[in-house]
Amino acid sequence: MRAVLKLTSKPGARALERAALHDLDDGQVVQRHLGGDPQAFGTLVDRYQTRLLNFVNRTIGDRERAEDLVQEVFIRVFRHLHRFDQTKKFSTWIYTIASNLAKNELRNRSRNPLVLFQTIKKNWEADHRPLQFEDTTARPDDLYRKRFLKDAVDQCVCQLPQHHRVVFVLRELEGKSYQEIAEITACNLGTVKSRLNRARNSFAQLIAPLLK
């Protein structure tokens, strides 16, 4: 009986441990992983998987490929986490890896922005893709307008030049600071601000006709 009780208590104990991990900041979770906690890395995956998928998908315009690249991000993080400088922000480091993989993907393609957007639409299944503008308590006509807005935003972001698109997504859709964007893209602050200003102007011109 004792053995049975011990076995059946493990799932609950694991759930409690996992919940406790979610209350820690990134640096503490990294330390727990490096210290041998078998659940710590899963906490990092839970915390960043959806965010990175949205970022990479918006950058390359292909959700299925973005899913592959995000998996590659976590493989690289797992392999090299022991080299991570823990005086830095983990979020900046993981976004840098994701950004580099996305840029390599675009560099290896010969697609224009229109083709990238068509790829999004072809693979887009609304029921399987979270909508940032959605509010389940809203009226149907409000939901339609919010879905239309998200569609319009994705369409216009996809048409931005690669370097402008990356900084625009990181700042306007991911909420990263200028300093974080500079570190993620390996650019100085002046370049980041210049690219972001141009991206904003281009985005405004692209989206204006869709909102009339």
Side-chain angles (χ1 to χ4, degrees):
M1 180 64 70
R2 290 180 181 175
V4 173
L5 290 174
K6 185 177 181 180
L7 287 173
T8 56
S9 67
K10 284 185 178 180
R14 284 197 295 268
L16 289 173
E17 291 171 5
R18 192 68 172 266
L21 283 168
H22 279 279
D23 293 333
L24 302 178
D25 62 33
D26 289 347
Q28 292 170 320
V29 177
V30 168
Q31 290 177 358
R32 292 284 290 269
H33 169 72
L34 296 176
D37 188 328
Q39 298 194 69
F41 192 78
T43 299
L44 294 175
V45 173
D46 291 343
R47 196 169 287 182
Y48 283 96
Q49 189 169 34
T50 300
R51 293 158 60 183
L52 291 178
L53 180 57
N54 289 335
F55 166 60
V56 176
N57 183 33
R58 282 177 168 139
T59 302
I60 70 172
D62 184 334
R63 187 173 179 82
E64 290 185 5
R65 182 60 181 146
E67 290 173 350
D68 293 337
L69 291 178
V70 170
Q71 291 226 0
E72 178 63 24
V73 169
F74 285 114
I75 289 172
R76 295 191 180 195
V77 170
F78 187 83
R79 288 176 177 171
H80 303 295
L81 195 53
H82 63 285
R83 300 179 184 174
F84 167 60
D85 182 354
Q86 295 187 50
T87 65
K88 307 291 185 180
K89 291 184 66 174
F90 176 79
S91 60
T92 301
W93 186 61
I94 196 170
Y95 266 91
T96 300
I97 295 172
S99 178
N100 288 338
L101 287 174
K103 285 189 287 187
N104 289 340
E105 176 72 14
L106 290 174
R107 191 177 296 119
N108 293 334
R109 292 180 180 181
S110 57
R111 295 180 176 179
N112 60 42
L114 178 59
V115 174
L116 292 177
F117 177 62
Q118 290 171 339
T119 301
I120 283 181
K121 300 304 292 180
K122 182 179 66 175
N123 294 327
W124 188 358
E125 293 291 341
D127 290 340
H128 301 292
R129 184 176 182 189
L131 297 175
Q132 291 186 346
F133 301 100
E134 181 132 4
D135 179 358
T136 56
T137 64
R139 297 178 305 177
D141 55 338
D142 290 332
L143 289 177
Y144 173 80
R145 282 193 290 270
K146 289 174 181 178
R147 285 172 176 161
F148 172 82
L149 178 58
K150 188 178 190 303
D151 191 356
V153 167
D154 282 347
Q155 177 182 352
C156 296
V157 167
C158 235
Q159 294 181 67
L160 296 175
Q162 175 191 338
H163 294 312
H164 294 173
R165 189 189 318 160
V166 170
V167 296
F168 184 87
V169 170
L170 286 170
R171 178 63 180 176
E172 304 300 339
L173 303 180
E174 298 291 331
K176 298 297 182 185
S177 69
Y178 291 118
Q179 185 60 47
E180 286 179 297
I181 296 170
E183 294 178 21
I184 290 168
T185 60
C187 296
N188 60 48
L189 284 174
T191 299
V192 168
K193 292 179 180 179
S194 174
R195 288 179 179 177
L196 182 59
N197 184 57
R198 292 179 183 178
R200 284 170 170 165
N201 290 335
S202 297
F203 178 82
Q205 293 175 4
L206 287 168
I207 203 167
L210 301 178
L211 301 180
K212 289 182 178 179

